Amino acid sequence: MNVPAHTDALFRQAERGVLPLGELFQGAQTLVELGMQQDAIRLYEAWIAHTASPAAYAARFNLAVARGNVGDDEGAARDYLKAIELAPGFVEARLNLGTLYERMNRPDDALAAWQGILADIPDLTAKPALHVQTLNNLGRLCEIRKRLPEALDYLTRSLELDPDQPKVITHWVHLRQKLCVWPVYAAFGGVTVEEQRRHTSALAMLGASPDPAEQLAASRHFVERKVHAAPEQLAPPEGYAHRRIRIGYLSSDLCSHAVSILTAELYELHDRARVEVYAFSWSREDNSPLRARVVGAMDHYIRIDRMTDEEAARCIRAHEIDVLVDLHGLTLGARADILGWRPAPVQLTWLGFPGPTAVPGIDYVVADDFVFPPELEPYFTERPLRMPHTFQINDRRRAIGPTSTRAANGLPDGAFVFCSFNSNFKITPEVFDSWMRILQQVPDSVLWMVADSEATRANLVREAEARGVAGSRLLFAARVAPADYLARFRLADLFLDTNPFNGGTTASDALWAGLPVLTWSGQTFCSRMAGSLLRAVGLAELVTHSLEDYEALAIALGNDRPRMDALRARLAANRDTSPLFDTPRFVRDYEDLLASVVRRPAGVEPVDEPVDERANSRLQEVPAPAQLTLQQESMLSLLRPGMHSIVEVGGATLAQAWRARVPNSHYTSVGASGDWSTAAIERDAEQLTDADWQQLAAAQCWLFPETLERLRDPWAFLARLRRQALGPVELVACINNGQHWLLQTLLAAGNMPDRRNLHLFTRASLAALLAENGFTLVAMTTVNAQQPPQVVLDAIRALAAASGADPELAVQDALPYQYLVRAIAA
């Protein structure tokens, strides 16, 4: 590295208080460009400490930026606050401070920092760009925090200042949908209705328009703005010579999300003699049982959070995936550029986005004859792969809680309860008009809905009263646990679907719980989803094709209790035998469908691959583990219940025992393979590649059974482990005591009992090792062996006294043979 020759001179000038501000900035920037960030920080600190200048606020600001760039967030916050104290009108410092707070997971402080700009700076109108940025930051974070009315207000004010903001218009439109502010499209300031429709997101357009051409146009607009052409296509067009089909699922929703609610059993039921199942995931770690189940059902679970789109595509290509299934579509957080690299010979989309994606590289969409009729084909860029019964898979293991009472849920006992638990943004004024007419024609009926925002509830009540329906006839359900949510459907009489965006998961939830669904099918994929489900469950007469027929049938059913009872009885009789909930049959049909499009090189014999028979059924009972050692039993007791992703360094000594407790857990051994490891990385732990670390980043717990002390540099290893972890990570270790009395006697005789141990850790040095690398010690127990002779104890006391240490503490620390520890890093 070429260090600037005048660096020492810069520091000397700064310490004498004679370094000009411009030269400070230039010198610090040069140091940063050379990778000497800490030196740049020291230069700013020296200048600030020795220079009296009215521009000190600018130096503080730059120092804060420099601290933030090296991860010193607390120091950066202090310097931003100091810069603001020196120059209260310094908007940039307030903006950066809010952004820093948001990164530090302090959203309320971030909002306060940005709100302070609006409240404290009277001449903000003279800085229109900063004014707009402030409003946009507030709007974005309020939307994330579910403070929807505030978010809409901030974005409206932003657009009044600058109407030429397509991204802001996109959010503004969707916020009005979520809040049920009608009409959704309304011109104001310089923002026209035409601009609002043009910048409606692809997802919002599914609920805004019944026109398939307009939905396709919205998706193409997204692709034009967000998707970049890849410079090369990675997968061989002719495919691979695998005997088993390698299926890769691409998603950020492998957690407590509608996609996983539908697909969890799919991953478990895949025929491992026929397919091998990969997940390429950037899902959040929500510690939910559903996420644990999904992760445990994968043959290979690979995190791509920290990969660029190109790196993720090359990772997928390296695994020679035959069929890549995009479960994400154009929803929030989409990574469509991965597909543009063509990392698999065949790529298809399914479930995540029920409309045309227009994404280059996607060949097919999983559909069926009803949800994707031939006349819809011109409005999709993907070709349909039609399932024989329905496009949507369902999970038969969804637990339904005990049925509550209407009174406990605020429902009148004698009323006819219409229910619609679809997302609020799917409700259109036209459908709501129909619902109100239905209520007027069905005496003593109510409409039971969900609304996360109090403002949404107030808007819906106001709209009902404007249509001549008492607001008290709209009842709102709170969020509850999944099993209780399903049980709640049993208290209603009829589910009223939305159009043009039907219920998908919500409609199947209702049917699974035994509640008939009335739908209105239109001309788009998303408006025909519930119709597909109803046909597959044997209730085709509840599929209507016009608003008038939908409304008339709802009124007729609401006034005919015996007819409703018969429909409910037929649904109960059909549920477990219908194609809709025959998940094993669905999986077989789905695998047949994929096999029909998989590509294989002509004239090349498929390669036989070993099949992990244990993986063929993720629900099978794991054989009871062999007799465990005391050490293994003790380590197992420290593993927190609910862990679903574990890495063991040095082997798989606890894999069988742990998986006997948690059959669907994902267990990886590093450094050696093990009979009961679901995955193995046979590389030395300290030789893990970046790709290995990315694969292991989602692990919840790392085990070190007498292996931490055998690492060449355990400090560096733990530091990287903590840095790479995608969420809270735990460490459970068994570590030999370097201060054990027997070891002390052997060392005194010039002997080393175990040359594999590269480090000798004591109680104190072990605690220091963990603390230095960001781990909090939450449990430490000891394993004691034989007691030492009295003469040895006396010698240890004498040696401690001679060195100025506590003799009794020295004896206590010499007794444990091993330490068992559990530590947590946030």
Side-chain angles (χ1 to χ4, degrees):
M1 178 182 296
N2 294 319
V3 179
H6 64 292
T7 296
D8 289 341
L10 287 174
F11 275 96
R12 286 194 298 271
Q13 286 180 280
E15 289 164 358
R16 288 167 34 220
V18 295
L19 180 62
L21 187 66
E23 293 185 26
L24 167 68
F25 291 163
Q26 184 177 354
Q29 181 59 33
T30 300
L31 290 170
V32 169
E33 291 170 355
L34 290 169
M36 303 170 66
Q37 289 90 343
Q38 293 295 343
D39 291 282
I41 290 170
R42 288 195 303 108
L43 182 61
Y44 279 122
E45 289 173 335
W47 189 93
I48 290 169
H50 298 92
T51 307
S53 169
Y57 71 91
R60 281 281 183 186
F61 176 84
N62 281 15
L63 175 57
V65 172
R67 290 197 199 279
N69 289 340
V70 297
D72 181 8
D73 291 343
E74 294 292 346
R78 288 193 298 271
D79 284 313
Y80 281 130
L81 288 169
K82 186 64 177 178
I84 294 167
E85 179 186 334
L86 295 171
F90 190 16
V91 179
E92 291 88 341
R94 292 173 181 261
L95 284 169
N96 278 25
L97 178 63
T99 301
L100 178 66
Y101 281 148
E102 186 177 5
R103 189 174 78 200
M104 296 169 71
N105 197 28
R106 294 168 58 179
D108 291 337
D109 289 332
L111 290 172
W114 295 327
Q115 288 164 340
I117 297 173
L118 302 180
D120 301 341
I121 301 177
D123 60 341
L124 192 58
T125 53
K127 303 171 182 176
L130 297 179
H131 193 174
V132 165
Q133 184 179 348
T134 301
L135 292 167
N136 289 346
N137 284 359
L138 286 163
R140 177 186 53 76
L141 189 51
C142 281
E143 183 177 6
I144 292 171
R145 301 289 289 168
K146 308 298 183 185
R147 293 162 59 168
L148 304 187
E150 292 173 77
L152 182 60
D153 176 63
Y154 286 127
L155 296 189
T156 301
R157 291 161 63 182
S158 172
L159 288 168
E160 287 172 341
L161 290 172
D162 179 8
D164 186 19
Q165 298 186 80
K167 291 182 181 178
V168 177
I169 293 173
T170 296
H171 284 268
W172 184 88
V173 168
H174 204 34
L175 280 167
R176 286 173 70 90
Q177 286 182 313
K178 292 176 181 178
L179 286 164
C180 296
V181 177
W182 301 325
V184 169
Y185 299 115
F188 70 99
V191 185
T192 66
V193 169
E194 180 183 6
E195 283 292 290
Q196 292 167 22
R197 293 196 75 90
R198 192 160 73 87
H199 296 300
T200 298
S201 71
L203 178 64
M205 190 60 79
L206 298 182
S209 174
D211 183 354
E214 197 163 16
Q215 292 186 1
L216 176 58
S219 295
R220 282 180 166 154
H221 187 55
F222 172 91
V223 170
E224 288 170 5
R225 290 182 295 115
K226 298 288 185 70
V227 180
H228 306 93
E232 68 177 294
Q233 305 287 281
L234 301 179
E238 68 276 10
Y240 307 103
H242 305 147
R243 189 172 297 279
R244 288 193 294 160
I245 301 171
R246 296 184 186 179
I247 306 174
Y249 290 101
L250 186 67
S251 182
S252 73
D253 298 326
L254 302 179
C255 50
S256 185
H257 184 277
V259 167
S260 289
I261 289 171
L262 294 175
T263 59
E265 194 173 8
L266 165 72
Y267 312 126
E268 296 165 342
L269 292 181
H270 267 310
D271 181 358
R272 262 51 183 203
R274 191 179 191 188
V275 303
E276 189 172 2
V277 186
Y278 293 72
F280 298 95
S281 169
W282 64 106
S283 305
R284 71 183 187 278
E285 176 52 80
D286 60 5
N287 291 316
S288 64
L290 181 60
R291 174 167 170 73
R293 184 178 162 203
V294 168
V295 172
M298 297 294 177
D299 297 328
H300 309 276
Y301 186 80
I302 300 168
R303 300 289 316 204
I304 60 172
D305 306 59
R306 296 179 178 171
M307 301 182 193
T308 66
D309 291 339
E310 179 182 352
E311 289 169 343
R314 294 190 182 279
C315 173
I316 295 167
R317 167 62 182 87
H319 286 283
E320 295 189 355
I321 300 302
D322 294 303
V323 181
L324 184 62
V325 183
D326 167 43
L327 296 174
H328 204 93
L330 304 184
T331 54
L332 183 66
R335 298 184 64 180
D337 280 352
I338 293 175
L339 295 149
W341 284 89
R342 176 66 71 173
V346 177
Q347 301 183 159
L348 56 94
T349 186
W350 184 33
L351 295 176
F353 183 78
T357 69
V359 172
I362 296 183
D363 306 302
Y364 301 102
V365 57
V366 177
D368 60 59
D369 286 336
F370 183 83
V371 82
F372 199 126
E375 55 268 26
L376 193 54
E377 293 186 22
Y379 304 103
F380 267 72
T381 54
E382 304 88 357
R383 287 169 285 168
L385 281 178
R386 292 188 172 93
M387 292 287 292
H389 302 288
T390 182
F391 75 101
Q392 184 171 295
I393 191 167
N394 285 283
D395 175 19
R396 301 166 303 163
R397 293 178 61 193
R398 282 176 291 175
I400 303 176
T403 303
S404 182
T405 64
R406 284 191 167 185
N409 286 269
L411 299 172
D413 279 330
F416 190 97
V417 177
F418 292 106
C419 161
S420 187
F421 288 165
N422 285 344
S423 297
N424 299 134
F425 83 89
K426 295 183 178 183
I427 304 172
T428 65
E430 294 76 19
V431 167
F432 194 77
D433 286 344
S434 178
W435 289 350
M436 296 305 99
R437 291 193 293 267
I438 292 167
L439 291 182
Q440 289 169 334
Q441 295 298 313
V442 180
D444 299 321
S445 62
V446 296
L447 178 60
W448 198 19
M449 312 170 71
V450 292
D452 288 331
S453 164
E454 180 59 42
T456 304
R457 291 192 286 273
N459 287 340
L460 289 169
V461 168
R462 187 181 63 254
E463 293 288 348
E465 292 175 343
R467 290 161 173 78
V469 175
S472 59
R473 295 180 71 181
L474 268 60
L475 305 175
F476 296 96
R479 295 289 180 180
V480 292
D484 295 329
Y485 155 77
L486 288 173
R488 198 159 57 184
F489 281 108
R490 293 175 167 172
L491 302 176
D493 293 298
L494 180 64
F495 187 100
L496 294 177
D497 199 15
T498 46
N499 178 287
F501 199 162
N502 289 174
T505 307
T506 311
S508 67
D509 286 343
L511 294 170
W512 177 247
L515 177 64
V517 173
L518 175 63
T519 192
W520 161 26
S521 294
Q523 305 305 311
T524 60
F525 188 115
C526 63
S527 70
R528 302 177 68 82
M529 295 190 296
S532 171
L533 306 181
L534 285 163
R535 288 162 62 91
V537 83
L539 293 176
E541 67 264 44
L542 293 180
V543 182
T544 67
H545 298 276
S546 71
L547 178 61
E548 293 74 21
D549 290 345
Y550 169 85
E551 188 175 316
L553 185 52
I555 293 169
L557 292 172
N559 288 302
D560 192 342
R561 294 274 185 171
R563 188 177 175 187
M564 279 305 316
D565 291 342
L567 283 170
R568 189 184 287 269
R570 183 142 53 90
L571 174 58
N574 291 355
R575 195 194 77 161
D576 293 334
T577 58
S578 69
L580 182 61
F581 297 114
D582 188 347
T583 310
R585 175 163 61 170
F586 184 102
V587 175
R588 290 194 303 272
D589 292 339
Y590 171 67
E591 290 176 351
D592 288 343
L593 198 65
L594 298 187
S596 72
V597 296
V598 165
R599 299 175 187 172
R600 293 288 182 248
V604 178
E605 187 68 22
V607 178
D608 282 313
E609 299 160 309
V611 178
D612 182 356
E613 293 299 334
R614 296 186 310 276
N616 201 42
S617 173
R618 293 291 177 170
L619 302 180
Q620 69 181 11
E621 182 181 354
V622 178
Q627 187 68 36
L628 298 176
T629 66
L630 175 62
Q631 177 213 72
Q632 290 170 329
E633 285 279 12
S634 301
M635 289 191 71
L636 203 61
S637 70
L638 288 177
L639 278 168
R640 181 169 55 81
M643 291 289 184
H644 61 69
S645 182
I646 293 175
V647 178
E648 181 177 332
V649 174
T653 59
L654 290 175
Q656 183 178 352
W658 179 250
R659 292 194 64 218
R661 296 185 179 189
V662 189
N664 286 332
S665 59
H666 201 75
Y667 203 104
T668 304
S669 66
V670 173
S673 60
D675 290 342
W676 282 96
S677 174
T678 58
I681 298 175
E682 298 187 18
R683 245 185 301 282
D684 181 290
E686 291 178 284
Q687 300 299 319
L688 292 175
T689 66
D690 289 344
D692 293 332
W693 279 108
Q694 288 163 350
Q695 178 180 339
L696 301 172
Q700 293 176 296
C701 184
W702 286 65
L703 304 181
F704 296 87
E706 297 183 59
T707 52
L708 190 62
E709 59 266 54
R710 295 174 185 172
L711 297 176
R712 289 180 293 279
D713 190 345
W715 290 267
F717 190 86
L718 291 184
R720 181 155 194 191
L721 189 162
R722 183 174 184 272
R723 188 169 64 249
Q724 293 285 147
L726 292 172
V729 63
E730 301 191 10
L731 175 156
V732 172
C734 178
I735 298 169
N736 293 312
N737 180 17
Q739 200 175 343
H740 185 244
W741 67 268
L742 182 57
L743 181 58
Q744 291 191 51
T745 61
L746 290 171
L747 288 172
N751 296 317
M752 174 61 74
D754 190 344
R755 289 180 295 176
R756 294 174 298 173
N757 292 344
L758 303 182
H759 302 274
L760 296 177
F761 286 109
T762 66
R763 175 188 56 80
S765 66
L766 175 58
L769 166 72
L770 296 171
E772 288 169 15
N773 291 287
F775 286 86
T776 301
L777 188 62
V778 295
M780 176 182 277
T781 59
T782 61
V783 177
N784 295 321
Q786 65 191 85
Q787 289 295 308
Q790 186 61 44
V791 64
V792 173
L793 293 178
D794 292 340
I796 290 173
R797 285 191 181 94
L799 182 60
S803 61
D806 182 338
E808 293 309 315
L809 181 59
V811 166
Q812 291 177 28
D813 285 344
L815 297 178
Y817 173 65
Q818 291 174 323
Y819 290 109
L820 291 161
V821 300
R822 174 171 167 252
I824 301 175

